């Protein structure tokens, strides 16, 4: 059996982040060969990661990355199981690198991102499994979006330490510092007001008809006569637009003007039309079903009671 020094164990631990006893065992199994020990731990880590892959990952962080010229940007949701790991610096750093990769590569799907080279010869998938093994929780790259613009800028906003992330694309024929201000304000509007559509023209027929039917039934239930129900529906649809369409919403910083009006004012300031061409808003864990566990029952079951 090879003589395994404490210094060698320490070196392997620093290289891999694995537990001390696991490092010692790996070195014993590989007769003190550091490179083989790393492989041994990675193989063990991959197995551990596979066991964890079925667990729900609804915590985590939303990260954004904006290129220096503000012509390209990305937003990404990276999930884990607990808020404790979500606050871990390595977890957050990994998410930062992922967002930058989305912006700087041509990947369009999570699968492509996982197959992209992450560090050295390791793919994102391999590096992710190693991180799962190290931090002991299931982690998933859930989704991402990338914007690129020729004339205009892309900007982002993160709210609540990564709970909400917004990415906005603003187009304009003229370059101006005002565009940066506009993009930031629109990002904060989206984070706060959570619009579902950019404009009235983007509201799909199904959503429109569903809302109309709800308002029609409401009016009839209020005892309104048939001949004015349709007029009421039209009025309520206009109110609906102001709630769910970004450009129709009242600006959260000035309730006397809409976002459309705000853009018109800034366009005059620049001397060229400023338009919001697209946006995306991610909220961490939205739509993920988390199983509610009765902890007393769970403990009792584990104790065989």
């Amino acid at each position: 059996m090879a003589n395994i020094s404490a210094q060698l164990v320490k070196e392997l631990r620093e290289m891999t982040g694995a537990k001390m006893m696991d490092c010692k065992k790996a070195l014993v199994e590989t007769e003190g060969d550091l490179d083989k020990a790393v492989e041994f731990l990675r193989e063990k880590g991959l197995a551990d990661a596979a066991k964890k892959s079925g667990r729900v990952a609804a915590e985590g962080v939303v990260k954004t990355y904006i290129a220096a010229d503000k012509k390209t940007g990305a937003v990404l949701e990276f999930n884990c199981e607990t808020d404790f790991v979500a606050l871990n610096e390595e977890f957050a750093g990994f998410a930062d690198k992922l967002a930058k990769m989305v912006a700087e590569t041509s990947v369009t799907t999570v699968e492509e991102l996982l197959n992209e080279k992450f560090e050295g010869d390791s793919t994102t998938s391999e590096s992710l499994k190693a991180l799962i093994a190290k931090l002991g929780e299931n982690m998933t790259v859930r989704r991402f979006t990338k914007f690129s613009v020729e004339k205009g800028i892309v900007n982002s906003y993160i709210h609540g330490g990564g709970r909400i992330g917004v990415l906005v694309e603003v187009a304009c024929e003229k370059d101006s510092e005002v565009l940066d201000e506009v993009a930031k304000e629109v990002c904060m509007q989206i984070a706060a007001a959570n619009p579902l559509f950019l404009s009235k023209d983007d509201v799909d027929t199904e959503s429109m008809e569903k809302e109309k039917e709800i308002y029609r039934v409401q009016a009839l239930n209020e005892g309104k006569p048939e001949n004015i129900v349709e007029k009421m529906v039209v009025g309520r649809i206009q109110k609906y637009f102001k709630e769910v369409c970004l450009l129709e919403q009242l600006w959260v910083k000035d309730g006397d003007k809409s976002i459309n009006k705000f853009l018109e004012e800034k366009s005059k300031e620049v001397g060229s039309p400023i338009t919001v061409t697209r946006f995306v808003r991610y909220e961490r864990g939205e739509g993920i079903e988390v199983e509610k566990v009765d902890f007393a029952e769970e403990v009792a079951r584990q104790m065989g009671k």
Side-chain angles (χ1 to χ4, degrees):
M1 180 184 295
N3 182 26
I4 308 301
S5 68
Q7 179 59 36
L8 197 60
V9 174
K10 180 175 180 292
E11 187 176 349
L12 180 60
R13 189 173 192 277
E14 288 174 350
M15 289 173 65
T16 64
K19 295 178 182 178
M20 195 73 77
M21 291 306 297
D22 288 336
C23 289
K24 186 174 181 180
K25 181 180 178 182
L27 287 163
V28 169
E29 291 288 336
T30 58
E31 298 183 343
D33 188 311
L34 204 56
D35 290 335
K36 288 183 179 179
V38 171
E39 290 182 18
F40 178 90
L41 284 173
R42 286 193 65 192
E43 288 170 359
K44 183 178 184 299
L46 296 180
D48 288 344
K51 292 176 185 176
K52 296 178 178 71
S53 64
R55 303 203 306 233
V56 176
E59 290 292 335
V61 69
V62 177
K63 289 282 190 176
T64 61
Y65 176 83
I66 303 296
D69 62 2
K70 296 191 175 179
K71 297 297 183 183
T72 302
V75 59
L76 173 139
E77 181 179 358
F78 184 42
N79 298 117
C80 56
E81 296 177 56
T82 66
D83 55 0
F84 179 77
V85 165
L87 294 171
N88 180 278
E89 288 185 4
E90 285 189 70
F91 178 85
F94 198 94
D96 282 327
K97 289 180 181 178
L98 289 174
K100 186 177 181 182
M101 284 176 65
V102 171
E104 295 183 344
T105 66
S106 59
V107 297
T108 58
T109 66
V110 170
E111 184 180 4
E112 288 175 359
L113 179 61
L114 291 175
N115 288 326
E116 191 78 11
K117 291 295 181 184
F118 189 78
E119 287 181 340
D121 292 329
S122 297
T123 63
T124 302
S125 179
E126 291 167 341
S127 298
L128 176 57
K129 287 174 182 176
L131 186 63
I132 289 171
K134 183 176 180 179
L135 299 184
E137 285 193 8
N138 184 30
M139 300 171 198
T140 58
V141 181
R142 187 183 182 200
R143 53 183 173 166
F144 62 79
T145 298
K146 174 182 176 179
F147 289 164
S148 292
V149 64
E150 289 185 11
K151 295 183 178 180
I153 66 167
V154 177
N155 214 330
S156 66
Y157 173 67
I158 292 290
H159 179 75
R163 184 174 65 86
I164 295 171
V166 176
L167 190 68
V168 164
E169 182 182 282
V170 173
C172 186
E173 290 295 319
K174 285 189 177 181
D175 288 329
S176 170
E177 291 181 359
V178 173
L179 298 183
D180 196 43
E181 176 195 345
V182 169
K184 286 180 180 177
E185 292 293 350
V186 172
C187 279
M188 288 189 282
Q189 173 77 23
I190 294 165
N194 193 15
L196 303 179
F197 308 97
L198 176 60
S199 70
K200 291 188 288 187
D201 294 337
D202 296 311
V203 180
D204 59 280
T205 303
E206 185 179 349
S207 295
M208 181 83 77
E209 291 305 316
K210 182 180 178 181
E211 291 300 315
K212 283 183 178 179
E213 183 58 29
I214 290 172
Y215 298 145
R216 191 174 290 111
V217 172
Q218 284 177 350
L220 290 172
N221 288 342
E222 290 169 8
K224 306 297 181 185
E226 288 276 1
N227 63 330
I228 68 166
V229 165
E230 287 307 314
K231 291 182 180 179
M232 290 183 65
V233 169
V234 170
R236 290 181 179 180
I237 280 293
Q238 294 307 310
K239 183 180 178 182
Y240 170 72
F241 287 149
K242 290 181 180 180
E243 292 173 352
V244 303
C245 299
L246 172 64
L247 300 181
E248 302 297 322
Q249 286 181 338
L250 293 178
W251 188 20
V252 292
K253 291 182 71 173
D254 184 348
D256 291 331
K257 66 178 70 171
S258 67
I259 294 299
N260 249 332
K261 182 65 175 175
F262 168 66
L263 292 174
E264 286 174 12
E265 292 176 355
K266 291 300 177 181
S267 295
K268 290 178 182 177
E269 192 175 325
V270 173
S272 181
I274 299 172
T275 57
V276 178
T277 46
R278 50 183 172 168
F279 73 88
V280 64
R281 180 186 188 273
Y282 284 174
E283 187 162 348
R284 179 188 62 214
E286 61 185 346
I288 298 176
E289 290 189 17
V290 181
E291 182 183 0
K292 293 184 178 179
V293 178
D294 184 325
F295 289 104
E297 182 182 327
E298 180 74 13
V299 171
R301 184 166 62 249
Q302 289 183 8
M303 293 179 69
K305 294 183 179 181

